[in-house]
């Protein structure tokens, strides 16, 4: 990429972000970030679906020299057009409900939110009985157009939503006009901005982009194609999508426990050009409902909830957890997620997961599980310490554990990247140069003073399978030697300054006189 093209992309991204956040501000006065997020992203997604229908319809009808509206108005075309489009993109939108049609109604003063509600309902209804039905079911359920927070009358709600639609209509989403993935950038930017304002809840749906890039590049290293990939705690799907930036991905699989976040993930994949036929996303508790059953994947990535509660009762009867002999503690499900992921990792696959540092050294059942993974399965490939305060909702430092099956070595690479970050107003960030530094160290797998160490199995055994990074990477910086004579001289000078100051004070005090003798005598 030329410097000029890169500069153009940066400028276009900045302009896009500025305009999108301005649109979001039209809503933010009425509700909190988690609420107006659903309206903004929902409307952007609806415009995307509308554009998709128009694009495919134009191509399909070009030989007949008909517009989509003209063809749909002809009885002998209508059903065929609908069936063909549903087969191509998985859904259908009538001409009257297309985004430009809604815009015209707003401009003509004939719009109300009921039209938009009918439009989104029609999208879902068009998928009923189709292969795409489960992928579109409930996609817009978080965009409540009857909510009083949009206005206490239909007219007020219509005016506010209409204003947002018109603002979105003024942004060009045509690739010919731009050198960036507008929809993808829009979605990623807004998810990140909403995460910044969502506090503790942000961790439920967003992994910072730089961390996603790190995990994606680790699991795709040396591979140009991945048949199937999986994220068992996918959030908004950003981590899954990063895999597609570094390798050709066949099918995406993921699961998410939060319904709103599950909807975000489905929208996110669709807006990044992943056809509904190429992803299988599920709603539910991964540890309780294993929707991918006995499938295995070339790459598995995750940023699961840290030290979450779970129910280990009866789990040793579950094939995912049985061989370890013990279950993760009820109040710390970290290793339960790791076990689940390993169960679904193919014999030649790579897996990377973000976890709190406690998994490296906690004892009891977790210590036994950790030992089994290292000694019996020989699947732990690397431990990477990340800086603190990278993630929304928590300031704790985290680590990335990298696992591989079928390894031909039994050592473990330790990398301490905890000091490499840029300090931000609310969150620290991991610059590209530091991401690359980690990747280079992982690829070379060599000792680097105060940064990386390749620990043998014997060394890990000597540490009783405690993986706390400072045991393997010594980052201690000795203080400069102290010159005792110089310190003595400085102390002597300070003592003299104190004596001089005291003498000056005593001199001034002796010169004080009482100005009211009567008061003095009374005392």
């Amino acid at each position: 990429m030329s410097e000029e093209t890169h500069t153009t992309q940066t400028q276009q991204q900045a302009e896009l972000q500025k305009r999108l956040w301005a649109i979001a501000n039209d809503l933010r006065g009425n509700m909190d970030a988690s609420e107006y997020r659903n309206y903004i992203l929902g409307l952007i997604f609806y415009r995307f679906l509308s554009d998709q229908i128009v694009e495919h319809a134009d191509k399909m009808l070009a030989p007949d020299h008909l517009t989509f509206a003209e063809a749909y108005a002809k009885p002998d075309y209508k059903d065929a057009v609908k069936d063909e489009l549903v087969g191509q993109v998985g859904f259908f939108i009538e001409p009257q409900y297309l985004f430009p049609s809604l815009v015209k109604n707003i401009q003509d003063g004939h719009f109300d939110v009921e039209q938009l509600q009918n439009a989104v309902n029609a999208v879902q209804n068009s998928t009923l009985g189709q292969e795409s039905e489960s992928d579109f079911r409930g996609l817009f359920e978080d965009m409540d157009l009857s909510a009083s927070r949009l206005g206490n009358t239909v007219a007020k709600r219509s005016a506010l939503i209409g204003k947002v639609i018109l603002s979105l209509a003024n942004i060009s989403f045509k690739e010919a006009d731009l050198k960036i993935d507008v929809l993808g950038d829009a979605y990623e930017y807004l998810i990140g901005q909403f995460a910044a304002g969502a506090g503790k809840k942000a961790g439920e749906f967003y992994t910072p982009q730089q961390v996603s890039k790190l995990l994606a590049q680790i699991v795709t290293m040396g591979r140009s194609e991945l048949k199937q990939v999986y994220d068992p705690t996918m959030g908004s799907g950003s981590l899954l999508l990063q895999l597609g930036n570094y390798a050709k991905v066949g099918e995406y699989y993921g699961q998410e426990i939060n319904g709103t976040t599950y909807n975000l993930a489905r929208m996110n994949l669709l807006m990044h050009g992943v056809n509904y036929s190429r992803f299988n996303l599920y709603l539910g508790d991964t540890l309780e409902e294993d929707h991918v059953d006995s499938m295995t994947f070339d790459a598995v990535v995750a940023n699961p909830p840290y030290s979450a509660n779970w129910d280990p009762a009866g789990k040793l009867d579950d094939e995912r957890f049985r061989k370890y002999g013990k279950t993760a503690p009820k109040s710390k499900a970290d290793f339960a997620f790791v076990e689940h992921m390993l169960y679904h990792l193919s014999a030649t696959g790579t897996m990377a997961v973000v976890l709190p540092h406690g998994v490296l050294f906690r004892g009891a059942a977790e210590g036994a599980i950790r030992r089994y993974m290292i000694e019996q399965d020989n699947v732990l490939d690397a431990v990477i310490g990340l800086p603190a305060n990278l993630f929304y909702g928590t300031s704790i430092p985290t680590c990335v554990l990298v696992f591989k099956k079928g390894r031909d070595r039994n050592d473990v690479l330790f990398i301490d990247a905890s000091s490499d970050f840029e300090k931000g107003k609310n969150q620290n960030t991991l610059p590209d140069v530091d991401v690359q530094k980690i990747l280079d160290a992982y690829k070379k797998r060599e000792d680097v003073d105060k940064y990386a160490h390749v620990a043998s199995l014997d060394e890990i055994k000597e540490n009783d399978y405690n993986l706390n990074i400072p045991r393997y990477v010594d980052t201690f910086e000795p203080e400069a030697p102290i010159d005792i004579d110089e310190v003595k001289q400085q102390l002597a000078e300070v003592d003299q300054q104190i004596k001089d100051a005291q003498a000056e004070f005593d001199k001034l005090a002796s010169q004080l006189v009482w100005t009211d003798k009567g008061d003095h005598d009374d005392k």
Side-chain angles (χ1 to χ4, degrees):
M1 179 191 303
S2 69
E3 184 175 344
E4 181 181 354
T5 299
H6 178 72
T7 300
T8 302
Q9 286 182 339
T10 302
Q11 292 171 342
Q12 290 177 346
Q13 286 171 338
E15 178 61 24
L16 171 66
Q17 293 168 0
K18 179 181 177 181
R19 295 178 68 181
L20 285 169
W21 200 239
I23 295 170
N25 282 332
D26 287 337
L27 285 167
R28 70 186 303 178
N30 298 60
M31 58 199 81
D32 63 34
S34 63
E35 293 177 317
Y36 69 79
R37 175 194 71 198
N38 298 331
Y39 291 97
I40 291 292
L41 296 181
L43 289 171
I44 290 175
F45 181 64
Y46 188 79
R47 177 174 171 181
F48 163 78
L49 295 183
S50 175
D51 289 350
Q52 285 283 292
I53 286 293
V54 172
E55 179 183 339
H56 283 79
D58 286 348
K59 288 180 181 178
M60 180 177 68
L61 296 168
D64 298 324
H65 304 289
L66 290 172
T67 66
F68 176 36
E70 290 170 345
Y72 194 69
K74 294 178 177 291
D76 54 337
Y77 268 84
K78 187 173 183 177
D79 290 340
V81 167
K82 180 178 180 179
D83 292 344
E84 182 66 23
L85 288 173
V86 170
Q88 289 182 25
V89 297
F91 64 94
F92 182 73
I93 298 177
E94 294 181 31
Q96 64 170 321
Y97 290 141
L98 290 172
F99 195 85
S101 299
L102 298 180
V103 169
K104 188 174 187 309
N105 288 344
I106 296 168
Q107 293 170 334
D108 292 344
H110 300 147
F111 172 81
D112 66 59
V113 290
E114 285 298 317
Q115 293 175 24
L116 180 58
Q117 188 64 64
N118 291 337
V120 297
N121 290 344
V123 170
Q124 181 169 310
N125 291 338
S126 72
T127 69
L128 296 178
Q130 305 294 327
E131 182 185 348
S132 57
E133 181 178 351
S134 62
D135 298 309
F136 283 82
R137 183 184 300 123
L139 265 178
F140 292 97
E141 65 182 7
D142 297 301
M143 193 171 71
D144 184 359
L145 296 171
S146 63
S148 60
R149 55 181 170 266
L150 292 175
N152 55 15
T153 65
V154 172
K156 289 181 179 179
R157 293 194 291 272
S158 300
L160 180 57
I161 291 297
K163 181 180 179 182
V164 175
I165 290 175
L166 289 179
S167 297
L168 287 175
N170 289 329
I171 297 178
S172 175
F173 283 1
K174 295 180 180 179
E175 292 183 7
D177 300 340
L178 299 144
K179 297 182 183 297
I180 57 174
D181 174 8
V182 180
L183 284 172
D185 280 9
Y187 216 71
E188 287 295 323
Y189 168 74
L190 286 174
I191 289 174
Q193 287 295 102
F194 291 131
K200 189 175 181 180
K201 292 182 179 180
E204 297 176 1
F205 64 85
Y206 187 68
T207 299
Q209 191 177 68
Q210 294 301 90
V211 178
S212 295
K213 287 181 178 180
L214 174 64
L215 268 63
Q217 289 180 83
I218 286 174
V219 299
T220 59
M221 193 173 287
R223 306 192 68 164
S224 59
E225 292 190 23
L226 299 168
K227 184 178 179 182
Q228 295 174 321
V229 300
Y230 177 52
D231 183 345
T233 58
M234 66 183 176
S236 57
S238 299
L239 183 47
L240 267 179
L241 283 166
Q242 279 291 346
L243 296 173
N245 292 332
Y246 301 101
K248 182 180 179 181
V249 175
E251 294 181 310
Y252 296 84
Y253 286 78
Q255 188 161 333
E256 171 56 41
I257 193 171
N258 181 287
T260 297
T261 310
Y262 165 68
N263 290 338
L264 284 180
R266 290 187 291 168
M267 291 182 186
N268 207 3
L269 264 68
L270 285 166
M271 290 208 297
H272 278 83
V274 182
N275 188 274
Y276 73 91
S277 62
R278 291 179 52 218
F279 66 77
N280 295 274
L281 307 182
Y282 305 97
L283 177 63
D285 184 334
T286 295
L287 299 180
E288 296 296 331
E289 309 165 59
D290 188 4
H291 283 289
V292 292
D293 196 20
S294 59
M295 294 182 65
T296 60
F297 303 90
D298 297 329
V300 181
V301 289
N303 178 21
Y306 306 146
S307 300
N309 292 321
W310 78 305
D311 182 8
K315 291 299 190 295
L316 287 181
D317 294 328
D318 190 315
E319 194 66 29
R320 295 173 293 170
F321 314 110
R322 181 182 304 159
K323 69 177 180 179
Y324 301 97
K326 294 181 181 293
T327 58
K330 184 177 181 179
S331 61
K332 295 178 177 64
D334 304 306
F335 270 114
F337 283 110
V338 174
E339 291 166 346
H340 169 86
M341 294 169 70
L342 281 170
Y343 178 75
H344 290 293
L345 184 64
S346 71
T348 57
T350 303
M351 156 186 156
V353 54
V354 181
L355 293 167
H357 277 252
V359 300
L360 302 176
F361 54 78
R362 290 193 297 248
E366 290 180 287
I369 294 170
R370 189 168 58 243
R371 176 171 182 165
Y372 190 99
M373 290 177 177
I374 297 168
E375 190 175 56
Q376 301 298 319
D377 276 356
N378 185 29
V379 290
L380 181 61
D381 194 56
V383 177
I384 304 168
L386 297 178
N389 203 29
L390 283 182
F391 296 86
Y392 295 106
T394 179
S395 60
I396 65 170
T398 55
C399 60
V400 175
L401 299 189
V402 183
F403 294 87
K404 283 187 174 184
K405 289 186 177 178
R407 295 200 316 153
D408 57 2
R409 59 198 309 154
N410 59 8
D411 55 23
V412 177
L413 172 66
F414 289 83
I415 298 175
D416 187 346
S418 60
S419 299
D420 297 334
F421 61 90
E422 284 185 358
K423 192 167 184 61
K425 182 178 179 181
N426 297 314
Q427 311 298 137
N428 294 330
T429 58
L430 195 62
D432 285 337
V433 64
D434 294 315
V435 171
Q436 192 57 51
K437 183 180 177 182
I438 295 171
L439 293 170
D440 290 342
Y442 178 72
K443 189 174 183 178
K444 291 178 181 177
R445 207 175 184 88
E446 298 173 350
D447 282 14
V448 178
D449 187 39
K450 302 187 186 310
Y451 188 74
H453 174 62
V454 181
S456 67
L457 180 58
D458 288 339
E459 188 177 352
I460 294 172
K461 284 181 179 179
E462 288 174 8
N463 281 300
D464 197 25
Y465 298 91
N466 184 321
L467 304 178
N468 203 18
I469 297 173
R471 288 178 177 248
Y472 304 93
V473 182
D474 182 8
T475 59
F476 177 73
E477 293 284 356
E479 294 184 8
I482 298 174
D483 187 330
I484 299 298
D485 291 335
E486 184 181 348
V487 172
K488 280 183 175 181
Q489 179 62 33
Q490 290 174 348
L491 289 174
E493 291 173 0
V494 170
D495 286 342
Q496 187 58 49
Q497 290 170 2
I498 292 174
K499 288 179 182 179
D500 292 345
Q502 184 64 47
E504 181 67 19
F505 175 79
D506 291 342
K507 181 180 178 181
L508 292 171
S510 68
Q511 297 173 359
L512 293 174
V513 295
W514 295 103
T515 58
D516 189 338
K517 190 173 185 303
D519 288 347
H520 175 64
D521 289 342
D522 291 343
K523 294 177 181 176

